[in-house]
Every structure is written in structure tokens, then in C-alpha cells.
Amino acid sequence: SAVISQKPSRDICQRGTSLTIQCQVDSQVTMMFWYRQQPGQSLTLIATANQGSEATYESGFVIDKFPISRPNLTFSTLTVSNMSPEDSSIYLCSVVWGLGTEAFFGQGTRLTVV
Amino acid sequence: DAKTTQPPSMDCAEGRAANLPCNHSTISGNEYVYWYRQIHSQGPQYIIHGLKNNETNEMASLIITEDRKSSTLILPHATLRDTAVYYCIVSLRIQGAQKLVFGQGTRLTINP
């Protein structure tokens, strides 16, 4: 199993500002992913955080809005830029070691934009 | 991308078996079926996964049909703590690991 720490656990932010969310894992992982869960909705994959290279974004998500860093095999950040109330969601990171293995999720960051 | 179809909600009596169905008719041969659940305000929790054979662990059993087009998650003795949204996911391979794409899931309510 893995211990995944996300910071902050929650935040209330002013529109137009940016927030960086951190995801720290207690062991090296192959893949790290970032998800968004809007109120009352399922999880939507934002991007795959690639170690040492640019993240791979899903349709509808762009790097300018959600820049992602992954400097090593245990850490990643997601920034929500120029926030609007529509960005109010829970943001979750997830880690996977390989094919046919389970994914582990952090507890999420609950973001409210006012 | 293989898509999954699940009933939006189900009810089950406490102590009974909860059987959650999932259709994944476009699954390809090397894609796994995963089940996760999300209890309110928590991150998703892994339950079980399988490729072709039926699987069982301490939490649940997974029954996959022979043609792999559908599966059933079985919680053998449901408790009130099993009330959650259950997601059936077909994994997509990327760089040797799977990428999970969530559908809407089934909201399972266990009644006393």
C-alpha cells in the first residue's frame, strides 16, 4: 500500500488567484494522475503527471490552466490558475505502480473559489 | 476507450449480499476490470480487479462473464458502512500502467 499526502486539504480562494496543490507519496511510483471531482459528480481525469517531462492532458484540460510538475518519483504538484467559481471542486491525486495493480488515491483537496 | 454502464442507484438490506452489475461490452482483451468505491467526502478506495477469471478477496468477489462483456461485484454480507458510490472501471494502458477513467457509478444504500 501507499501513503499519499495531499496539501492543503481544503482552501477558500479569491477568484483570479492561483492555488498549488501538493501530492507526496511515501515510495517511488510509476504513474501519478490528477483528477477533479465537481460537486455531486464523478471523478474526471485531468492529466497524467510524467516524471521529468511535460504532463499529458485529457481533452478539455490545458497546461495554462492546470500546470503540473513532477520533479521526482514521489512528488507532484497541480496548480489551478486564474481561478473562477467554476473551479470549485475536489482535486485528487492518484498513484499506480504498474499494469494490473491497484491505484491509490489521496484524500483530496477541497477548493472553494469565491 | 472502453466504457462502462452501471445502474445509478441500488438498495440492499443489511446482512444480505449486494450484487452490483456492470456492462463493458467494448472491453478489449488486455484491459482489466476494476472496482472502486467512494464513501462520502473521501478519496476512492480500491476493492478488487480482474482480467478474465473470477476473483475474491477479503472485501468482495468479482464475477466476470466468459465473454468479458459484463461483470458483477458481490459484497457478501453488506453492512451500513458499505453505503457508498461504487465505480466499475475498465483500465486503459498507458506506458505499461493503467489509466482509470471513472463513469457515474452506482450509489449503493444499505438499509438497516
Side-chain angles (χ1 to χ4, degrees), chain A residues 5-8 18-24 32-37 44-49 55-57 61-71 75-81 83 87 89-94 108-109 111:
Chain A
S5 301
Q6 265 190 251
K7 294 180 180 179
S18 298
L19 176 71
T20 295
I21 303 167
Q22 299 179 359
C23 180
Q24 177 74 55
M32 296 182 77
F33 302 92
W34 287 97
Y35 289 83
R36 178 177 73 181
Q37 188 170 29
T44 301
L45 182 62
I46 297 172
T48 303
T56 304
Y57 290 85
F61 297 95
V62 295
I63 187 172
D64 290 345
K65 176 67 176 176
F66 298 101
I68 289 171
S69 78
R70 190 175 172 195
F75 185 78
S76 178
T77 66
L78 168 74
T79 298
V80 186
S81 304
M83 289 183 285
D87 294 319
S89 295
I90 298 173
Y91 293 85
L92 300 108
C93 74
S94 171
T109 296
L111 170 63

Side-chain angles (χ1 to χ4, degrees), chain B residues 37-109:
Chain B
R37 72 181 182 184
Q38 188 175 28
I39 297 170
H40 182 64
S41 298
Q42 299 183 17
Q45 176 191 21
Y46 167 81
I47 301 173
I48 198 167
H49 75 280
L51 183 62
K52 296 180 181 178
N53 301 318
N54 298 337
E55 302 287 345
T56 296
N57 62 21
E58 65 278 5
M59 290 182 67
S61 295
L62 173 60
I63 308 299
I64 302 174
T65 58
E66 192 169 343
D67 62 8
R68 304 212 324 127
K69 293 184 177 182
S70 65
S71 61
T72 301
L73 178 75
I74 302 173
L75 307 179
H77 305 287
T79 71
L80 298 178
R81 289 176 295 179
D82 292 323
T83 293
V85 178
Y86 287 76
Y87 296 101
C88 169
I89 302 162
V90 174
S91 67
L92 307 172
R93 285 204 303 177
I94 173 173
Q95 298 175 20
Q98 76 277 5
K99 180 172 70 171
L100 304 179
V101 178
F102 285 74
Q104 292 305 307
T106 295
R107 183 173 297 278
L108 175 66
T109 302

Side-chain angles (χ1 to χ4, degrees), chain A residues 10-54:
Chain A
R10 60 178 62 228
D11 208 342
I12 301 174
C13 300
Q14 297 291 323
R15 68 177 66 199
T17 62
S18 298
L19 176 71
T20 295
I21 303 167
Q22 299 179 359
C23 180
Q24 177 74 55
V25 190
D26 66 346
S27 59
Q28 295 184 349
V29 295
T30 309
M31 309 292 288
M32 296 182 77
F33 302 92
W34 287 97
Y35 289 83
R36 178 177 73 181
Q37 188 170 29
Q38 296 175 301
Q41 301 297 313
S42 180
L43 283 75
T44 301
L45 182 62
I46 297 172
T48 303
N50 302 308
Q51 195 266 330
S53 64
E54 217 169 76

